[in-house]
Amino acid sequence: MPKKHLGQNFLRDEAVLQRIIESSSLSTDDLVLEIGPGEGVLTERLAEHAKKVIAIEIDGDLIGNLRDKFKDDPSVRIINKDILKMNLPEFIAKEFKDGKYKLIANIPYYITSPIIRLFLETKLPPTEMILMVQKEVAERIVAKPGSMSILAVSVQYYAQAELLFDVDAESFYPIPEVDSAVIRIKPEARSRNRDEAKKFFRVVKAGFSSKRKTLSNNLSSSFCLNKKEVDEKLKSAGLSPIQRAQELNIEDWERLASIF
Ligand code: SAM
């Protein structure tokens, strides 16, 4: 019986699997990390195209079948662990010698944000992530100025994000309550400085603190500054005091982070 609390909706659509593989542009040099192989349908396709696939599955009840399925394929390694409880930097450095790997997965939706954050913030992020996520989350991640959210800013600060294609709920067993989409997240080649990132997100969180308020009001109340002072700072960053956080792009936030 699939376990709902582990986000177990297994992909049963051959065409979708094929599109994920095409979108991944795998070569026989590629090293792939998969989170949640489940019954191993995607794992199998990945192994046909990549040099090595390491698949991390939390559910001990699935491990026996997975190991059996890939017992004659030395390019596939199944690890029975919780992805959120691993020492990721150590694991990546050990398994992917030059630090180059792709993350390709139909991830459990209940931990979408922690997974994406983990891999964007780690010392050795993947060169590319191809992820199946809830459609609504995919749309929020790739949002443009006008409808940005903390999630969109958090991903786009580190990476280019693109929605590749939608996937119907009927493509899975059991059928989930939500539609899905496959996204590509391509981390920037230069990594972000930790202290700068901290400063950046302090300002972003302050800016988004109250949805109904203007940027100016949110920043002045979060930083305990008078509004006049905040408005001056906003103007010096080329922004208007009546703008709202969702209208800003990454460069706007970077300018604000250097001022506040
Ligand atoms: N890849 C399979 C497929 O496409 O059919 C299964 C995808 S299913 C949406 C998500 C998988 O992630 C499940 O097999 C589930 O047991 C596993 N999973 C859930 N939480 C996990 C975690 N914290 N670490 C590793 N795997 C996890």
Side-chain angles (χ1 to χ4, degrees):
M1 267 301 270
K3 296 175 183 149
K4 204 172 172 184
H5 72 282
L6 291 179
Q8 290 182 354
N9 297 97
F10 300 115
L11 198 47
R12 289 284 161 84
D13 188 327
E14 197 53 47
V16 174
L17 282 165
Q18 188 57 33
R19 285 189 84 181
I20 294 176
I21 294 299
E22 280 162 16
S23 309
S24 310
S25 344
L26 288 170
S27 80
T28 45
D29 285 336
D30 277 322
L31 310 178
V32 176
L33 181 62
E34 185 190 5
I35 299 168
E39 299 174 327
V41 286
L42 179 59
T43 322
E44 197 174 7
R45 302 306 187 293
L46 293 170
E48 281 164 19
H49 293 84
K51 182 176 182 183
K52 170 170 159 185
V53 181
I54 299 185
I56 317 274
E57 173 58 59
I58 195 174
D59 188 356
D61 291 341
L62 297 173
I63 295 295
N65 280 346
L66 279 168
R67 294 221 165 109
D68 196 42
K69 184 169 181 152
F70 297 107
K71 66 178 186 307
D72 298 324
D73 187 346
S75 71
V76 177
R77 223 173 103 211
I78 307 289
I79 297 179
N80 185 199
K81 282 211 169 126
D82 177 343
I83 188 67
L84 298 183
K85 293 198 178 136
M86 293 177 69
N87 181 339
L88 206 56
E90 193 184 285
F91 172 79
I92 294 168
K94 185 168 151 249
E95 296 295 338
F96 307 119
K97 291 282 185 290
D98 61 357
K100 272 189 150 182
Y101 65 103
K102 290 180 175 176
L103 177 66
I104 305 172
N106 170 17
I107 58 175
Y109 295 172
Y110 75 104
I111 46 171
T112 301
S113 294
I115 288 175
I116 293 177
R117 195 175 336 119
L118 191 66
F119 281 90
L120 285 176
E121 291 176 2
T122 190
K123 238 181 359 204
L124 294 170
T127 51
E128 195 169 325
M129 307 186 210
I130 303 284
L131 303 176
M132 174 91 72
V133 298
Q134 192 178 327
K135 184 176 171 189
E136 187 218 312
V137 175
E139 284 166 350
R140 279 175 50 216
I141 288 174
V142 305
K144 299 252 180 305
S147 36
M148 297 290 276
S149 60
I150 292 194
L151 176 65
V153 175
S154 308
V155 174
Q156 294 175 28
Y157 178 63
Y158 291 103
Q160 304 282 337
E162 184 189 352
L163 196 155
L164 298 177
F165 56 91
D166 294 344
V167 178
D168 286 344
E170 287 74 30
S171 299
F172 302 87
Y173 173 80
I175 298 175
E177 281 144 29
V178 293
D179 281 329
S180 298
V182 174
I183 52 171
R184 172 184 286 124
I185 298 178
K186 213 171 164 140
E188 306 283 0
R190 68 187 176 111
S191 63
R192 295 283 190 178
N193 171 292
R194 241 168 215 277
D195 291 334
E196 262 176 36
K198 246 188 186 166
K199 228 168 104 181
F200 178 88
F201 285 108
R202 208 174 298 141
V203 177
V204 171
K205 277 184 194 140
F208 276 101
S209 54
S210 174
K211 217 178 164 190
R212 271 168 283 132
K213 287 192 192 161
T214 60
L215 190 57
S216 160
N217 282 332
N218 279 339
L219 292 173
S220 64
S221 58
S222 298
F223 291 126
C224 301
L225 292 169
N226 82 49
K227 216 170 143 339
K228 220 168 151 199
E229 206 179 325
V230 171
D231 290 355
E232 283 308 316
K233 285 182 191 285
L234 286 174
K235 277 185 203 149
S236 74
L239 296 165
S240 144
I242 58 160
Q243 279 189 281
R244 284 169 200 276
Q246 57 267 33
E247 295 166 29
L248 273 56
N249 62 28
I250 304 297
E251 290 73 35
D252 294 331
W253 287 114
E254 284 183 306
R255 280 201 308 285
L256 284 185
S258 68
I259 294 173
F260 277 89

